[in-house]
mmCIF file of all heavy atoms in Angstrom:
data_model
loop_
_atom_site.group_PDB
_atom_site.id
_atom_site.type_symbol
_atom_site.label_atom_id
_atom_site.label_comp_id
_atom_site.label_asym_id
_atom_site.label_seq_id
_atom_site.Cartn_x
_atom_site.Cartn_y
_atom_site.Cartn_z
ATOM 1 N N PRO A 1 79.235 107.559 106.534
ATOM 2 C CA PRO A 1 78.697 106.329 105.943
ATOM 3 C C PRO A 1 77.263 106.423 105.428
ATOM 4 O O PRO A 1 76.751 105.440 104.889
ATOM 5 C CB PRO A 1 78.788 105.325 107.095
ATOM 6 C CG PRO A 1 78.625 106.165 108.319
ATOM 7 C CD PRO A 1 79.325 107.465 108.007
ATOM 8 N N ALA A 2 76.597 107.553 105.599
ATOM 9 C CA ALA A 2 75.248 107.711 105.053
ATOM 10 C C ALA A 2 75.333 107.848 103.534
ATOM 11 O O ALA A 2 76.189 108.548 103.010
ATOM 12 C CB ALA A 2 74.575 108.942 105.650
ATOM 13 N N ILE A 3 74.431 107.162 102.842
ATOM 14 C CA ILE A 3 74.360 107.219 101.385
ATOM 15 C C ILE A 3 72.963 107.668 100.996
ATOM 16 O O ILE A 3 71.967 107.209 101.572
ATOM 17 C CB ILE A 3 74.657 105.841 100.753
ATOM 18 C CG1 ILE A 3 76.049 105.359 101.173
ATOM 19 C CG2 ILE A 3 74.563 105.911 99.235
ATOM 20 C CD1 ILE A 3 76.385 103.960 100.688
ATOM 21 N N SER A 4 72.870 108.566 100.058
ATOM 22 C CA SER A 4 71.581 109.077 99.598
ATOM 23 C C SER A 4 70.639 107.931 99.244
ATOM 24 O O SER A 4 71.003 107.015 98.500
ATOM 25 C CB SER A 4 71.788 109.978 98.375
ATOM 26 O OG SER A 4 70.567 110.206 97.708
ATOM 27 N N SER A 5 69.426 107.967 99.774
ATOM 28 C CA SER A 5 68.442 106.922 99.470
ATOM 29 C C SER A 5 68.110 106.892 97.989
ATOM 30 O O SER A 5 67.790 105.841 97.431
ATOM 31 C CB SER A 5 67.163 107.158 100.283
ATOM 32 O OG SER A 5 66.593 108.429 99.987
ATOM 33 N N GLU A 6 68.224 108.046 97.315
ATOM 34 C CA GLU A 6 67.947 108.083 95.886
ATOM 35 C C GLU A 6 69.036 107.369 95.093
ATOM 36 O O GLU A 6 68.749 106.712 94.085
ATOM 37 C CB GLU A 6 67.800 109.529 95.418
ATOM 38 C CG GLU A 6 66.563 110.222 95.968
ATOM 39 C CD GLU A 6 66.332 111.575 95.319
ATOM 40 O OE1 GLU A 6 65.655 111.615 94.276
ATOM 41 O OE2 GLU A 6 66.844 112.567 95.861
ATOM 42 N N LEU A 7 70.274 107.492 95.531
ATOM 43 C CA LEU A 7 71.351 106.755 94.867
ATOM 44 C C LEU A 7 71.114 105.256 94.937
ATOM 45 O O LEU A 7 71.383 104.521 93.983
ATOM 46 C CB LEU A 7 72.702 107.080 95.521
ATOM 47 C CG LEU A 7 73.469 108.312 95.045
ATOM 48 C CD1 LEU A 7 74.756 108.459 95.838
ATOM 49 C CD2 LEU A 7 73.754 108.257 93.559
ATOM 50 N N LEU A 8 70.605 104.799 96.072
ATOM 51 C CA LEU A 8 70.382 103.367 96.277
ATOM 52 C C LEU A 8 69.324 102.807 95.330
ATOM 53 O O LEU A 8 69.314 101.606 95.046
ATOM 54 C CB LEU A 8 69.960 103.107 97.725
ATOM 55 C CG LEU A 8 70.979 103.469 98.809
ATOM 56 C CD1 LEU A 8 70.377 103.285 100.194
ATOM 57 C CD2 LEU A 8 72.244 102.637 98.665
ATOM 58 N N LYS A 9 68.445 103.665 94.844
ATOM 59 C CA LYS A 9 67.353 103.208 93.982
ATOM 60 C C LYS A 9 67.691 103.241 92.500
ATOM 61 O O LYS A 9 66.995 102.624 91.698
ATOM 62 C CB LYS A 9 66.116 104.087 94.221
ATOM 63 C CG LYS A 9 65.571 104.050 95.638
ATOM 64 C CD LYS A 9 64.478 105.085 95.822
ATOM 65 C CE LYS A 9 64.012 105.165 97.265
ATOM 66 N NZ LYS A 9 63.009 106.257 97.451
ATOM 67 N N LEU A 10 68.756 103.947 92.134
ATOM 68 C CA LEU A 10 69.045 104.155 90.713
ATOM 69 C C LEU A 10 69.744 102.938 90.105
ATOM 70 O O LEU A 10 70.709 102.413 90.674
ATOM 71 C CB LEU A 10 69.924 105.393 90.538
ATOM 72 C CG LEU A 10 69.256 106.731 90.859
ATOM 73 C CD1 LEU A 10 70.289 107.855 90.871
ATOM 74 C CD2 LEU A 10 68.163 107.036 89.849
ATOM 75 N N PRO A 11 69.289 102.489 88.933
ATOM 76 C CA PRO A 11 69.901 101.320 88.297
ATOM 77 C C PRO A 11 71.219 101.617 87.607
ATOM 78 O O PRO A 11 72.012 100.699 87.347
ATOM 79 C CB PRO A 11 68.839 100.897 87.267
ATOM 80 C CG PRO A 11 68.151 102.175 86.903
ATOM 81 C CD PRO A 11 68.118 102.982 88.167
ATOM 82 N N ASN A 12 71.474 102.896 87.279
ATOM 83 C CA ASN A 12 72.687 103.255 86.540
ATOM 84 C C ASN A 12 73.819 103.700 87.460
ATOM 85 O O ASN A 12 74.617 104.564 87.131
ATOM 86 C CB ASN A 12 72.381 104.336 85.498
ATOM 87 C CG ASN A 12 71.733 105.586 86.105
ATOM 88 O OD1 ASN A 12 71.208 105.539 87.217
ATOM 89 N ND2 ASN A 12 71.765 106.690 85.378
ATOM 90 N N VAL A 13 73.876 103.089 88.652
ATOM 91 C CA VAL A 13 74.926 103.395 89.639
ATOM 92 C C VAL A 13 75.472 102.087 90.207
ATOM 93 O O VAL A 13 74.715 101.171 90.500
ATOM 94 C CB VAL A 13 74.378 104.252 90.799
ATOM 95 C CG1 VAL A 13 75.503 104.624 91.755
ATOM 96 C CG2 VAL A 13 73.712 105.503 90.286
ATOM 97 N N VAL A 14 76.778 102.021 90.342
ATOM 98 C CA VAL A 14 77.438 100.919 91.057
ATOM 99 C C VAL A 14 77.998 101.496 92.345
ATOM 100 O O VAL A 14 78.670 102.539 92.326
ATOM 101 C CB VAL A 14 78.566 100.293 90.211
ATOM 102 C CG1 VAL A 14 79.327 99.264 91.032
ATOM 103 C CG2 VAL A 14 77.998 99.645 88.961
ATOM 104 N N LEU A 15 77.724 100.840 93.467
ATOM 105 C CA LEU A 15 78.098 101.366 94.781
ATOM 106 C C LEU A 15 78.990 100.382 95.537
ATOM 107 O O LEU A 15 78.725 99.179 95.560
ATOM 108 C CB LEU A 15 76.833 101.638 95.610
ATOM 109 C CG LEU A 15 75.773 102.534 94.952
ATOM 110 C CD1 LEU A 15 74.508 102.571 95.804
ATOM 111 C CD2 LEU A 15 76.321 103.937 94.738
ATOM 112 N N SER A 16 80.031 100.929 96.156
ATOM 113 C CA SER A 16 80.957 100.135 96.961
ATOM 114 C C SER A 16 81.211 100.882 98.266
ATOM 115 O O SER A 16 81.283 102.107 98.268
ATOM 116 C CB SER A 16 82.264 99.936 96.180
ATOM 117 O OG SER A 16 83.216 99.231 96.946
ATOM 118 N N PRO A 17 81.335 100.174 99.409
ATOM 119 C CA PRO A 17 81.442 100.841 100.721
ATOM 120 C C PRO A 17 82.858 101.265 101.107
ATOM 121 O O PRO A 17 83.414 100.791 102.092
ATOM 122 C CB PRO A 17 80.893 99.781 101.674
ATOM 123 C CG PRO A 17 81.307 98.497 101.048
ATOM 124 C CD PRO A 17 81.233 98.708 99.567
ATOM 125 N N HIS A 18 83.455 102.177 100.340
ATOM 126 C CA HIS A 18 84.791 102.728 100.611
ATOM 127 C C HIS A 18 85.803 101.606 100.825
ATOM 128 O O HIS A 18 86.428 101.481 101.889
ATOM 129 C CB HIS A 18 84.760 103.656 101.823
ATOM 130 C CG HIS A 18 85.891 104.647 101.818
ATOM 131 N ND1 HIS A 18 85.792 105.885 102.401
ATOM 132 C CD2 HIS A 18 87.154 104.587 101.295
ATOM 133 C CE1 HIS A 18 86.934 106.538 102.247
ATOM 134 N NE2 HIS A 18 87.778 105.764 101.573
ATOM 135 N N THR A 19 85.986 100.810 99.785
ATOM 136 C CA THR A 19 86.875 99.643 99.859
ATOM 137 C C THR A 19 88.100 99.788 98.968
ATOM 138 O O THR A 19 88.764 98.796 98.663
ATOM 139 C CB THR A 19 86.109 98.363 99.452
ATOM 140 O OG1 THR A 19 85.646 98.508 98.088
ATOM 141 C CG2 THR A 19 84.922 98.123 100.359
ATOM 142 N N GLY A 20 88.412 101.025 98.559
ATOM 143 C CA GLY A 20 89.510 101.225 97.623
ATOM 144 C C GLY A 20 90.818 100.589 98.043
ATOM 145 O O GLY A 20 91.530 99.994 97.230
ATOM 146 N N THR A 21 91.157 100.692 99.312
ATOM 147 C CA THR A 21 92.410 100.110 99.801
ATOM 148 C C THR A 21 92.175 98.783 100.507
ATOM 149 O O THR A 21 93.108 98.214 101.075
ATOM 150 C CB THR A 21 93.101 101.072 100.791
ATOM 151 O OG1 THR A 21 92.255 101.252 101.943
ATOM 152 C CG2 THR A 21 93.354 102.432 100.147
ATOM 153 N N GLY A 22 90.949 98.301 100.461
ATOM 154 C CA GLY A 22 90.547 97.168 101.295
ATOM 155 C C GLY A 22 90.895 95.798 100.755
ATOM 156 O O GLY A 22 90.014 95.008 100.423
ATOM 157 N N THR A 23 92.191 95.508 100.676
ATOM 158 C CA THR A 23 92.632 94.145 100.389
ATOM 159 C C THR A 23 93.470 93.664 101.570
ATOM 160 O O THR A 23 94.042 94.480 102.305
ATOM 161 C CB THR A 23 93.494 94.080 99.109
ATOM 162 O OG1 THR A 23 94.715 94.828 99.311
ATOM 163 C CG2 THR A 23 92.740 94.653 97.910
ATOM 164 N N TRP A 24 93.533 92.366 101.750
ATOM 165 C CA TRP A 24 94.362 91.836 102.843
ATOM 166 C C TRP A 24 95.814 92.271 102.672
ATOM 167 O O TRP A 24 96.486 92.673 103.633
ATOM 168 C CB TRP A 24 94.280 90.304 102.874
ATOM 169 C CG TRP A 24 92.991 89.788 103.428
ATOM 170 C CD1 TRP A 24 91.958 89.218 102.743
ATOM 171 C CD2 TRP A 24 92.586 89.803 104.804
ATOM 172 N NE1 TRP A 24 90.932 88.878 103.594
ATOM 173 C CE2 TRP A 24 91.300 89.217 104.867
ATOM 174 C CE3 TRP A 24 93.178 90.258 105.993
ATOM 175 C CZ2 TRP A 24 90.605 89.084 106.069
ATOM 176 C CZ3 TRP A 24 92.485 90.105 107.197
ATOM 177 C CH2 TRP A 24 91.213 89.528 107.216
ATOM 178 N N GLU A 25 96.279 92.182 101.423
ATOM 179 C CA GLU A 25 97.665 92.566 101.157
ATOM 180 C C GLU A 25 97.902 94.045 101.456
ATOM 181 O O GLU A 25 98.920 94.432 102.035
ATOM 182 C CB GLU A 25 98.010 92.276 99.690
ATOM 183 C CG GLU A 25 97.940 90.807 99.291
ATOM 184 C CD GLU A 25 96.529 90.359 98.901
ATOM 185 O OE1 GLU A 25 95.578 91.163 99.030
ATOM 186 O OE2 GLU A 25 96.384 89.203 98.474
ATOM 187 N N GLY A 26 96.924 94.876 101.062
ATOM 188 C CA GLY A 26 97.049 96.309 101.288
ATOM 189 C C GLY A 26 97.043 96.675 102.758
ATOM 190 O O GLY A 26 97.837 97.525 103.202
ATOM 191 N N ARG A 27 96.148 96.039 103.515
ATOM 192 C CA ARG A 27 96.073 96.346 104.941
ATOM 193 C C ARG A 27 97.360 95.944 105.668
ATOM 194 O O ARG A 27 97.847 96.661 106.546
ATOM 195 C CB ARG A 27 94.870 95.616 105.570
ATOM 196 C CG ARG A 27 93.525 96.186 105.167
ATOM 197 C CD ARG A 27 93.288 97.539 105.831
ATOM 198 N NE ARG A 27 91.981 98.075 105.480
ATOM 199 C CZ ARG A 27 91.761 98.963 104.516
ATOM 200 N NH1 ARG A 27 92.790 99.422 103.804
ATOM 201 N NH2 ARG A 27 90.558 99.399 104.247
ATOM 202 N N ILE A 28 97.912 94.785 105.316
ATOM 203 C CA ILE A 28 99.167 94.350 105.945
ATOM 204 C C ILE A 28 100.286 95.340 105.627
ATOM 205 O O ILE A 28 101.068 95.735 106.508
ATOM 206 C CB ILE A 28 99.529 92.930 105.469
ATOM 207 C CG1 ILE A 28 98.520 91.917 106.044
ATOM 208 C CG2 ILE A 28 100.951 92.564 105.889
ATOM 209 C CD1 ILE A 28 98.643 90.529 105.447
ATOM 210 N N ALA A 29 100.349 95.754 104.356
ATOM 211 C CA ALA A 29 101.390 96.706 103.956
ATOM 212 C C ALA A 29 101.208 98.050 104.653
ATOM 213 O O ALA A 29 102.195 98.707 105.023
ATOM 214 C CB ALA A 29 101.363 96.883 102.438
ATOM 215 N N MET A 30 99.964 98.476 104.860
ATOM 216 C CA MET A 30 99.715 99.736 105.559
ATOM 217 C C MET A 30 100.157 99.638 107.013
ATOM 218 O O MET A 30 100.740 100.585 107.563
ATOM 219 C CB MET A 30 98.235 100.102 105.458
ATOM 220 C CG MET A 30 97.807 100.515 104.055
ATOM 221 S SD MET A 30 96.014 100.600 103.857
ATOM 222 C CE MET A 30 95.652 102.110 104.773
ATOM 223 N N CYS A 31 99.875 98.497 107.646
ATOM 224 C CA CYS A 31 100.326 98.287 109.033
ATOM 225 C C CYS A 31 101.850 98.373 109.122
ATOM 226 O O CYS A 31 102.404 99.000 110.034
ATOM 227 C CB CYS A 31 99.856 96.927 109.541
ATOM 228 S SG CYS A 31 98.095 96.820 109.909
ATOM 229 N N GLU A 32 102.510 97.738 108.171
ATOM 230 C CA GLU A 32 103.979 97.773 108.163
ATOM 231 C C GLU A 32 104.485 99.188 107.959
ATOM 232 O O GLU A 32 105.480 99.607 108.576
ATOM 233 C CB GLU A 32 104.500 96.844 107.060
ATOM 234 C CG GLU A 32 104.250 95.368 107.346
ATOM 235 C CD GLU A 32 104.610 94.467 106.174
ATOM 236 O OE1 GLU A 32 104.793 95.013 105.051
ATOM 237 O OE2 GLU A 32 104.714 93.246 106.373
ATOM 238 N N ASN A 33 103.798 99.952 107.085
ATOM 239 C CA ASN A 33 104.195 101.334 106.822
ATOM 240 C C ASN A 33 104.021 102.203 108.069
ATOM 241 O O ASN A 33 104.872 103.052 108.376
ATOM 242 C CB ASN A 33 103.371 101.882 105.668
ATOM 243 C CG ASN A 33 103.996 103.068 104.974
ATOM 244 O OD1 ASN A 33 103.550 103.501 103.914
ATOM 245 N ND2 ASN A 33 105.040 103.649 105.551
ATOM 246 N N VAL A 34 102.914 102.007 108.799
ATOM 247 C CA VAL A 34 102.698 102.739 110.051
ATOM 248 C C VAL A 34 103.825 102.428 111.042
ATOM 249 O O VAL A 34 104.394 103.333 111.668
ATOM 250 C CB VAL A 34 101.328 102.391 110.668
ATOM 251 C CG1 VAL A 34 101.242 102.896 112.114
ATOM 252 C CG2 VAL A 34 100.200 102.989 109.850
ATOM 253 N N CYS A 35 104.162 101.146 111.174
ATOM 254 C CA CYS A 35 105.233 100.746 112.094
ATOM 255 C C CYS A 35 106.570 101.341 111.669
ATOM 256 O O CYS A 35 107.360 101.792 112.512
ATOM 257 C CB CYS A 35 105.331 99.223 112.154
ATOM 258 S SG CYS A 35 103.908 98.422 112.929
ATOM 259 N N ASP A 36 106.833 101.359 110.369
ATOM 260 C CA ASP A 36 108.080 101.947 109.869
ATOM 261 C C ASP A 36 108.159 103.434 110.214
ATOM 262 O O ASP A 36 109.224 103.941 110.600
ATOM 263 C CB ASP A 36 108.185 101.765 108.355
ATOM 264 C CG ASP A 36 108.478 100.325 107.953
ATOM 265 O OD1 ASP A 36 108.944 99.563 108.819
ATOM 266 O OD2 ASP A 36 108.240 99.977 106.782
ATOM 267 N N ASN A 37 107.025 104.131 110.066
ATOM 268 C CA ASN A 37 107.002 105.559 110.399
ATOM 269 C C ASN A 37 107.297 105.788 111.876
ATOM 270 O O ASN A 37 108.041 106.711 112.243
ATOM 271 C CB ASN A 37 105.641 106.159 110.043
ATOM 272 C CG ASN A 37 105.488 106.430 108.556
ATOM 273 O OD1 ASN A 37 106.447 106.731 107.863
ATOM 274 N ND2 ASN A 37 104.270 106.328 108.063
ATOM 275 N N ILE A 38 106.720 104.941 112.727
ATOM 276 C CA ILE A 38 106.928 105.086 114.169
ATOM 277 C C ILE A 38 108.380 104.782 114.546
ATOM 278 O O ILE A 38 109.008 105.513 115.324
ATOM 279 C CB ILE A 38 105.963 104.159 114.941
ATOM 280 C CG1 ILE A 38 104.516 104.640 114.759
ATOM 281 C CG2 ILE A 38 106.320 104.113 116.426
ATOM 282 C CD1 ILE A 38 103.475 103.693 115.337
ATOM 283 N N LEU A 39 108.926 103.705 113.982
ATOM 284 C CA LEU A 39 110.314 103.344 114.277
ATOM 285 C C LEU A 39 111.286 104.429 113.802
ATOM 286 O O LEU A 39 112.237 104.778 114.510
ATOM 287 C CB LEU A 39 110.654 102.007 113.619
ATOM 288 C CG LEU A 39 110.001 100.771 114.240
ATOM 289 C CD1 LEU A 39 110.277 99.539 113.383
ATOM 290 C CD2 LEU A 39 110.500 100.551 115.665
ATOM 291 N N ALA A 40 111.024 104.961 112.619
ATOM 292 C CA ALA A 40 111.889 106.020 112.098
ATOM 293 C C ALA A 40 111.809 107.266 112.967
ATOM 294 O O ALA A 40 112.818 107.942 113.212
ATOM 295 C CB ALA A 40 111.487 106.354 110.653
ATOM 296 N N PHE A 41 110.612 107.575 113.463
ATOM 297 C CA PHE A 41 110.439 108.722 114.353
ATOM 298 C C PHE A 41 111.222 108.513 115.645
ATOM 299 O O PHE A 41 111.893 109.437 116.127
ATOM 300 C CB PHE A 41 108.949 108.918 114.652
ATOM 301 C CG PHE A 41 108.667 110.051 115.594
ATOM 302 C CD1 PHE A 41 108.668 111.364 115.139
ATOM 303 C CD2 PHE A 41 108.384 109.809 116.933
ATOM 304 C CE1 PHE A 41 108.409 112.420 116.001
ATOM 305 C CE2 PHE A 41 108.123 110.854 117.808
ATOM 306 C CZ PHE A 41 108.131 112.158 117.335
#
């Protein structure tokens, strides 16, 4: 989670905290997928 202090100062950068999969819908679907994997196992 450390981010370069120089990146934080640059105006030509957009920064997001690793939220690519971070939607409510996505998290629920991931939980269901984990459960499906366990049940299938």
Side-chain angles (χ1 to χ4, degrees):
I3 301 175
S4 165
S5 59
E6 292 189 88
L7 274 179
L8 297 175
K9 299 172 186 176
L10 292 171
N12 56 342
V13 183
V14 174
L15 306 173
S16 177
H18 203 151
T19 61
T21 63
T23 64
W24 285 106
E25 297 85 355
R27 288 288 182 263
I28 291 170
M30 290 168 74
C31 287
E32 292 173 346
N33 201 170
V34 167
C35 292
D36 288 341
N37 282 329
I38 293 173
L39 289 173
F41 178 79

